[in-house]
Amino acid sequence: MIKGVIFDLDGVLVSTDELHYEAWAKLARELNINNYTKEDNKAQKGISRMESLEIVLKKGNIAYTEKEKEALADRKNNYYVEMLDSLNDSAVLKDVKEALAMLKNRGIKIGVGSASKNTPLILEKTGLEPSIDAVSCGIDVTKSKPDPEVFLVAAKKLCLPPNECLVVEDSYAGVVAAKAAGMKSLAVGPERKLLEADYDSETLLSETDWDLMLKISY
Ligand code: B16
Ligand code: MG
């Protein structure tokens, strides 16, 4: 029986995935990489900042040293954090607050499992922080999705074994990570049908059969 639900952040709880794209696009233009597209951004979902940078740099043909790459990743993060300045609860995606309240009412623990090192800032600015029982993010782990570490740390913080956790994800790397952690997965977002999760749903409420997923009867 599922006793905890671990939510990915960008693209699942909040719409910050769009801001990641804008920040990377700005950096790409400055590096004269003019062929970085939304399609490239799909491959950046769920993976770390440095791995995301490699996807942008591959579109150009200049080789950078590790030190230069770190400076470029910092530059992108500064653009992203500037964009987060005006972030508020309007960035919380549809049905999220209602789904979190419903799960809490059912006694389900709520975790966040995100690659983003900006997770604490985003949860605070969007007002989601009080609804979350445990946060595991890029700051807590050394390996990023598809490695299961971020979800295993979340389960540990929730004091639950992995097989009592369900992961909600919008990225392929995230679904692979959930499987590797021994957790069931629910895919949401535009690519949900392609992610090979155990379940998929357009919304977190009406269409989602939480009773089936949590194996709870009421
Ligand atoms: P940061 P998630 C991920 O968040 C994003 O999907 C991914 O595009 C980003 O590179 C990663 O966080 C790292 O974010 O640069 O803020 O540390 O989807 O795992 O919540
Ligand atoms: Mg995501």
Side-chain angles (χ1 to χ4, degrees):
M1 191 148 93
I2 300 297
K3 295 189 181 147
V5 177
I6 303 170
F7 289 87
D8 171 57
L9 183 67
D10 297 311
V12 171
L13 294 179
V14 293
S15 56
T16 40
D17 46 337
E18 191 56 34
L19 301 180
H20 273 297
Y21 170 68
E22 283 173 30
W24 284 122
K26 183 171 175 174
L27 180 74
R29 283 192 300 274
E30 289 171 353
L31 301 177
N32 284 320
I33 296 171
N34 298 312
N35 55 350
Y36 167 75
T37 64
K38 283 220 161 181
E39 205 50 38
D40 301 313
N41 179 240
K42 280 185 193 168
Q44 293 175 305
K45 284 183 197 283
I47 64 170
S48 71
R49 196 179 302 167
M50 292 307 286
E51 287 164 335
S52 292
L53 173 68
E54 293 296 344
I55 289 177
V56 175
L57 296 183
K58 237 192 253 160
K59 304 289 295 200
N61 41 24
I62 302 174
Y64 293 92
T65 65
E66 282 313 305
K67 210 168 165 206
E68 286 168 334
K69 284 181 187 175
E70 270 165 36
L72 291 174
D74 281 350
R75 204 204 292 181
K76 179 267 175 181
N77 190 54
N78 289 339
Y79 296 149
Y80 180 59
V81 172
E82 253 171 52
M83 291 172 190
L84 293 180
D85 206 38
S86 54
L87 196 76
N88 56 37
D89 71 347
S90 66
V92 176
L93 290 167
K94 188 172 170 282
D95 293 336
V96 162
K97 284 183 195 156
E98 294 80 357
L100 295 182
M102 177 275 296
L103 291 169
K104 199 146 261 189
N105 275 340
R106 291 182 173 201
I108 302 291
K109 290 187 190 170
I110 312 285
V112 166
S114 167
S116 177
K117 293 182 174 166
N118 294 296
T119 298
L121 173 69
I122 293 169
L123 291 177
E124 196 235 298
K125 291 193 77 97
T126 53
L128 285 174
E129 198 184 7
S131 311
I132 311 294
D133 298 306
V135 175
S136 167
C137 71
I139 303 166
D140 299 282
V141 298
T142 53
K143 288 165 269 172
S144 49
K145 301 168 188 175
D147 188 280
E149 188 181 11
V150 77
F151 294 135
L152 292 173
V153 170
K156 204 168 190 180
K157 288 190 180 187
L158 290 172
C159 301
L160 291 173
N163 64 355
E164 292 183 359
C165 296
L166 171 85
V167 166
V168 187
E169 260 292 348
D170 71 324
S171 73
Y172 185 70
V175 170
V176 174
K179 283 184 186 163
M183 300 175 185
K184 292 271 186 230
S185 55
L186 163 66
V188 296
E191 306 292 310
R192 64 188 176 279
K193 297 276 180 206
L194 307 172
L195 305 185
E196 297 169 26
D198 297 293
Y199 312 99
D200 65 82
S201 181
E202 191 183 353
T203 76
L204 281 177
L205 276 178
S206 51
E207 244 199 22
T208 316
D209 196 345
W210 286 103
D211 285 344
L212 169 80
M213 291 190 300
L214 304 174
K215 297 271 191 314
I216 296 174
S217 41
Y218 288 93

